[in-house]
Amino acid sequence: MILQALQEYYNRKLDEQDPDIAPFGFQQQPLPFIIEVGVEGNLVQLRNTYEGSGKNKTIKQFLVPQGMKKTSGIATNLLWDNAEYVLGIISKGKPERVKDQHQAFIDKIYALPHFLQEDAGIKAVLAFLDGLDLAALEKLDVWEELQTNPNMSFRLSGDKYLVCQRPALIRYLQQTGGDDPVQDGLCLLTGEEAEIERLHTSIRGVWGAQTAGANIVSFNLDAFNSFGKKQGANAPVSKQAAFAYTTGLNHLLRKGSPQRMQVGDASTVFWAEKASDFEIQFSSFFSDPPKDEPDKGTKAVKSLYDSIHHGLLNSDEGKQRFHILGLAPNAARIAIRFWEIATIAEMAQRIAQHFDDLTIVHGEKTLQHLPLFRLLLSIATQHKADNIPPNLAGDTIRSILTGLPYPQTLLSAAVRRNRAEQYVSYERAALLKACLNRNVKEGLQVSLDTKNIKPGYLLGQLFAVLEKIQEEANPGINATIRDRYYGAASANPVTVFATLLKLKNHHLSKLNDKKRTIYFETLLGRIMDGLDSQRPFPSTLKLEDQGLFAVGYYHQRQDFFKKREKTAEIETTQPELKLGAQGELL
């Protein structure tokens, strides 16, 4: 299913005539150097293809014949390769081996049919290689760069295209499919009899995988073989189909691809059945916005809600299939971390539900819609991406895309990080609310809910009120009860709340504003009324209740910030409130 979907994506890009997608038998390859030769095989110039400067410096890509799968043996590409193969320059390899590599490169060109060897471009290349003079190359300014073993190819002077792109050679390669020995069989992707690919092209661009690439389909040990079959014959895929799915996946994973994003350790690619706005905006729903466009994610989510309201669910675009593939490194292979297919309409609804679950009251200067990466960082030690718990990122995005409950490890990680940092951040409060609402149907509101009488939620509010009283009694205090007691209060309330309530009396006595004292006493009374009168402070709170404690604490703290305006309203709308000489209500 995965390979078929990738093959369809490749065919879609061919239909769209995407210039970055290679036709059968070819691949896009960065080539730092192009050797320009004359008709007689003389060197005209050796030109580098670098574009831009500084950090924006890039190497130009060219369409070249599909490369050989490099192993420990000698395997050369046709009319392009590194400097050791093309020029026989000794950089890292042993002299004898480099000599054999260079000879293999020449032999491969001589192995072409006679009519191709008579082609003007190929004839010039062979003449250049036959009369190669390394001493002359050593005098060039680029000699030091050549010793770094860069890839290179040839161009006939005056031509616009490379020698390996000459029409006669393209026709020949697309007819034969290369020089690898073939075996016919039934292709598992197309269901047709065809030449079976022995070794599938490596997939590059998966974060953490080998730089030379890794494989999705690979049989490199006898223990993996069945019924005496070898290598690709164990999972027969035709040459054309194997080329299509590997080229399509490498295209999705290419550097700067708008259709890939990193989710924890999973390199994630996504594509639709046809080109669509949803496909363009998909990564903006989950990735951190760029620094030069901080509102990009918010705009994308707003656009998602708008498109749903304007009929996306019943449109032709909404009925298209949408694919998401998460890949993780596994030595020389690639592990499938997750694979999801749904219509764009279904996917849009699930993503919108995720953001609905996350929505919680927050400050004006913080992001309204939190990217997934920022959420995961909030539960990682020292807020480093390397410390995001293994598999958690993949499990979380799978929950989002399927609409299933969030992983239990996400809830426990958020609770644990709150206790470690003695603080409930906006991101963790949003995560806890989403987990509790989706997983255990707690029905938590966006902001403070005075009707919620769950013990955990009330105790969180109580802790926030006690902290606020301390802050107002001691303005400018460096550390509050939160820094010392949050962990114990959220896990073992009975051990600390008696002490905190005694401290509260001391703090209230220091408040000069009697109306404020009454306000806090009233607030404490309302919260305490919701608790069990016989056993208000449990000895322990289970994990979900600790999550409720954090959300209750966060809601109450946020409510205090809004209370500044409401306090003024109370003061102006309750003029009848009168106090006696000792501060008692009259």
Side-chain angles (χ1 to χ4, degrees):
M1 181 64 80
I2 296 174
L3 304 188
Q4 280 180 324
L6 286 168
Q7 183 192 14
E8 289 171 3
Y9 172 73
Y10 172 78
N11 292 332
R12 173 196 138 187
K13 299 304 285 184
L14 277 186
D15 293 341
E16 293 172 0
Q17 298 184 342
D18 188 329
D20 292 333
I21 203 81
F24 176 62
F26 286 79
Q27 69 178 55
Q28 293 287 351
Q29 177 69 34
L31 294 176
F33 286 95
I34 298 297
I35 303 170
E36 232 175 83
V37 295
V39 178
E40 301 299 327
N42 55 303
L43 176 65
V44 176
Q45 65 170 332
L46 207 161
R47 192 171 66 83
N48 72 52
T49 66
Y50 293 107
E51 297 175 333
S53 60
K55 292 182 179 178
N56 298 323
K57 196 173 181 179
T58 57
I59 301 172
K60 191 174 180 181
Q61 295 213 39
F62 294 87
L63 194 66
V64 297
Q66 191 175 12
M68 295 293 291
K69 207 173 179 72
K70 298 282 185 179
T71 58
S72 57
I74 293 175
T76 181
N77 301 318
L78 180 62
L79 288 167
W80 73 273
D81 215 309
N82 58 45
E84 288 187 346
Y85 276 97
V86 177
L87 299 176
I89 295 175
I90 301 170
S91 53
K92 299 177 181 177
K94 296 178 181 177
E96 296 78 14
R97 179 183 165 86
V98 173
K99 186 179 177 182
D100 292 342
Q101 288 174 325
H102 181 58
Q103 190 58 49
F105 183 80
I106 296 172
D107 292 345
K108 189 156 189 170
I109 302 174
Y110 272 114
L112 289 171
H114 182 70
F115 74 94
L116 283 176
Q117 292 184 38
E118 291 301 316
D119 179 272
I122 296 174
K123 198 172 182 179
V125 170
L126 287 173
F128 169 79
L129 293 172
D130 288 341
L132 180 62
D133 183 7
L134 282 183
L137 293 178
E138 290 179 12
K139 299 175 183 176
L140 298 177
D141 295 337
V142 296
W143 176 249
E144 285 190 12
E145 289 186 70
L146 292 179
Q147 290 183 309
T148 60
N149 205 22
N151 283 325
M152 56 184 64
S153 188
F154 295 92
R155 175 185 288 151
L156 186 62
S157 181
D159 272 8
K160 187 177 178 181
Y161 301 102
L162 301 181
V163 173
C164 59
Q165 297 170 342
R166 294 181 75 81
L169 183 64
I170 291 176
R171 285 195 296 273
Y172 168 75
L173 291 176
Q174 291 188 327
Q175 286 170 2
T176 61
D179 54 1
D180 199 29
V182 296
Q183 175 186 353
D184 285 351
L186 185 66
C187 175
L188 294 179
L189 301 191
T190 62
E192 298 173 354
E193 288 284 340
E195 296 175 349
I196 300 303
E197 186 65 286
R198 186 174 65 89
L199 297 174
H200 295 205
T201 304
S202 297
I203 306 300
R204 297 183 180 184
V206 175
W207 181 79
Q210 295 179 354
T211 52
N215 289 92
I216 291 181
V217 179
S218 171
F219 301 86
N220 61 341
L221 293 175
D222 291 341
F224 305 150
N225 297 331
S226 300
F227 302 105
K229 296 180 179 177
K230 292 184 179 179
Q231 298 180 318
N234 288 281
V237 177
S238 68
K239 277 181 170 291
Q240 286 82 358
F243 175 83
Y245 94 77
T246 54
T247 304
L249 186 51
N250 278 322
H251 180 74
L252 289 166
L253 286 166
R254 73 192 186 281
K255 188 177 181 181
S257 169
Q259 288 171 256
R260 71 161 291 173
M261 59 182 181
Q262 194 65 35
V263 181
D265 68 339
S267 299
T268 305
V269 295
F270 49 87
W271 68 97
E273 197 175 350
K274 298 177 183 175
S276 71
D277 292 338
F278 186 80
E279 179 186 84
I280 296 170
Q281 293 185 338
F282 186 79
S283 66
S284 301
F285 301 144
F286 302 106
S287 304
D288 250 359
K291 291 181 180 177
D292 57 348
E293 195 179 354
D295 295 335
K296 186 176 180 181
T298 303
K299 289 178 181 174
V301 177
K302 183 177 181 300
S303 171
L304 174 69
Y305 281 108
D306 288 345
S307 60
I308 292 174
H309 294 150
H310 289 94
L312 170 69
L313 306 184
N314 296 318
S315 66
D316 291 339
E317 181 186 354
K319 295 173 185 172
Q320 288 183 38
R321 288 195 308 275
F322 195 79
H323 311 82
I324 300 130
L325 176 62
L327 304 168
N330 183 16
R333 293 184 178 77
I334 295 173
I336 305 298
R337 184 69 82 196
F338 53 86
W339 165 244
E340 296 298 336
I341 305 175
T343 65
I344 287 180
E346 291 170 339
M347 204 65 77
Q349 282 181 305
R350 292 168 187 169
I351 294 172
Q353 182 60 50
H354 164 68
F355 286 110
D356 287 344
D357 291 339
L358 282 178
T359 303
I360 196 168
V361 62
H362 58 86
E364 293 179 357
K365 294 184 179 179
T366 50
L367 284 177
Q368 183 178 358
H369 303 294
L370 291 165
L372 179 60
F373 184 66
R374 188 169 298 190
L375 292 170
L376 294 173
L377 279 185
S378 74
I379 59 170
T381 307
Q382 298 178 323
H383 294 193
K384 290 183 178 178
D386 292 341
N387 295 333
I388 294 173
N391 299 335
L392 184 58
D395 291 344
T396 304
I397 198 166
R398 185 163 48 208
S399 300
I400 296 169
L401 299 176
T402 56
L404 295 173
Y406 292 104
Q408 188 71 2
T409 48
L410 188 63
L411 175 65
S412 60
V415 168
R416 194 166 54 246
R417 187 76 347 229
N418 281 340
R419 294 182 58 184
E421 296 183 10
Q422 307 277 2
Y423 172 67
V424 183
S425 66
Y426 166 40
E427 292 84 357
R428 290 196 289 269
L431 268 181
L432 289 168
K433 171 181 172 284
C435 288
L436 291 169
N437 276 358
R438 185 179 289 196
N439 296 11
V440 290
K441 311 296 181 190
E442 284 290 351
L444 288 168
Q445 301 296 312
V446 172
S447 57
L448 183 65
D449 180 12
T450 55
K451 295 180 181 177
N452 190 330
I453 56 170
K454 293 286 179 68
Y457 189 77
L458 288 173
L459 288 171
Q461 288 182 57
L462 180 61
F463 190 76
V465 174
L466 296 174
E467 183 189 20
K468 182 66 175 171
I469 293 172
Q470 184 192 27
E471 287 175 343
E472 295 201 7
N474 303 287
I477 188 172
N478 289 328
T480 66
I481 58 172
R482 187 197 70 207
D483 300 294
R484 186 172 179 184
Y485 294 109
Y486 179 87
S490 63
N492 308 104
V494 73
T495 61
V496 296
F497 269 101
T499 304
L500 295 178
L501 288 174
K502 288 179 184 175
L503 276 175
K504 175 263 301 179
N505 294 331
H506 170 67
H507 294 145
L508 281 177
S509 67
K510 294 175 69 175
L511 291 179
N512 295 323
D513 187 343
K514 298 301 179 185
K515 291 182 182 176
R516 199 68 180 152
T517 304
I518 293 170
Y519 163 72
F520 281 127
E521 290 283 14
T522 307
L523 192 53
L524 289 170
R526 194 262 301 167
I527 295 171
M528 292 297 291
D529 283 347
L531 294 169
D532 185 350
S533 58
Q534 301 298 319
R535 192 169 167 268
F537 305 119
S539 55
T540 57
L541 289 180
K542 60 183 182 179
L543 183 66
E544 287 78 7
D545 289 333
Q546 291 183 45
L548 281 174
F549 183 97
V551 176
Y553 170 82
Y554 179 83
H555 273 170
Q556 186 62 63
R557 288 289 298 178
Q558 290 296 316
D559 198 61
F560 283 136
F561 296 124
K562 292 197 299 185
K563 275 291 183 184
R564 290 172 185 167
E565 296 177 4
K566 292 184 178 179
T567 301
E569 290 175 11
I570 291 171
E571 289 174 354
T572 55
T573 57
Q574 295 182 353
E576 68 280 1
L577 192 67
K578 295 181 180 179
L579 302 178
Q582 302 301 318
E584 74 278 15
L585 269 174
L586 296 177

